[in-house]
Amino acid sequence: RKEVEQDPGPFNVPEGATVAFNCTYSNSASQSFFWYRQDCRKEPKLLMSVYSSGNEDGRFTAQLNRASQYISLLIRDSKLSDSATYLCVVAWGTLTFGKGTMLLVSP
Amino acid sequence: DAGVIQSPRHEVTEMGQEVTLRCKPISGHDYLFWYRQTMMRGLELLIYFNNNVPIDDSGMPEDRFSAKMPNASFSTLKIQPSEPRDSAVYFCASSQGQGSYEQYFGPGTRLTVT
């Protein structure tokens, strides 16, 4: 069973759309959760942490459901610059990365 | 700070050759990680160091792979002999402090073994 599972996409959306990504993880002892962003042929970078109470950073909202072992990322008012691969990351000692969901925002 | 520095950025080599990848972490960071990324397997942790000491190398695929960190500002990942299935992007990342999960990645080395 894969430790962190994501829909690979791609998600094709027009500018201004709202898009949501989901992720499930298998290790119930996982301690911390994150979303990283990876642009094409670039390195991953931390986008935001994910807290149980849910958290928001501008147009981005992350949610965690520990009971269902489920993490989500919502992007409102999509911009062309949001086009990237979004990696769901789970931490238990070290980081375990999902394979990522590709987002393509078109004009 | 210049961020995590990796060299070379691209490496093309023939099967059987030795490959050495280099990494300079961010100054003051005491954790260093080596990852490999492929389309099939995604981003996989190979090995990580704390204060220059290898902590977990369970992700190293086989004995052909070795990593060292002789000092706080330099680490190498060596593949000897290289095989076509080693073709991937190899990232080095560093972080600061125990419990800090924000890792800063270098630009990666794109390795092609023919």
Side-chain angles (χ1 to χ4, degrees), chain B residues 50-105:
Chain B
N50 177 217
N51 291 322
N52 314 337
V53 176
I55 303 301
D56 184 356
D57 65 354
S58 59
M60 296 285 261
E62 47 197 274
D63 291 345
R64 298 185 296 107
F65 286 68
S66 62
K68 294 182 179 179
M69 192 165 186
N71 57 62
S73 59
F74 183 66
S75 177
T76 60
L77 177 68
K78 186 174 293 187
I79 308 172
Q80 167 63 21
S82 58
E83 297 182 3
R85 60 192 168 122
D86 301 330
S87 297
V89 181
Y90 291 81
F91 287 105
C92 174
S94 69
S95 67
Q96 182 177 41
Q98 189 173 15
S100 171
Y101 288 116
E102 181 169 6
Q103 295 183 9
Y104 294 82
F105 283 74

Side-chain angles (χ1 to χ4, degrees), chain A residues 2 31-32 34 36 38 40-46 87 91-99, chain B residues 9-10 33 35 37 39-43 45 48 56 91 101-108 110:
Chain A
K2 295 178 184 176
Q31 301 166 324
S32 303
F34 308 88
Y36 272 66
Q38 185 171 21
C40 185
R41 301 181 78 86
K42 299 287 190 180
E43 71 273 20
K45 293 183 180 179
L46 178 66
L87 306 172
W92 187 68
T94 56
L95 299 184
T96 299
F97 288 77
K99 289 186 179 180
Chain B
R9 295 291 305 277
H10 301 274
F33 307 82
Y35 290 90
Q37 186 174 40
M39 288 290 291
M40 287 294 294
R41 301 175 67 90
L43 198 61
L45 177 64
Y48 78 96
D56 184 356
F91 287 105
Y101 288 116
E102 181 169 6
Q103 295 183 9
Y104 294 82
F105 283 74
R110 187 170 296 272

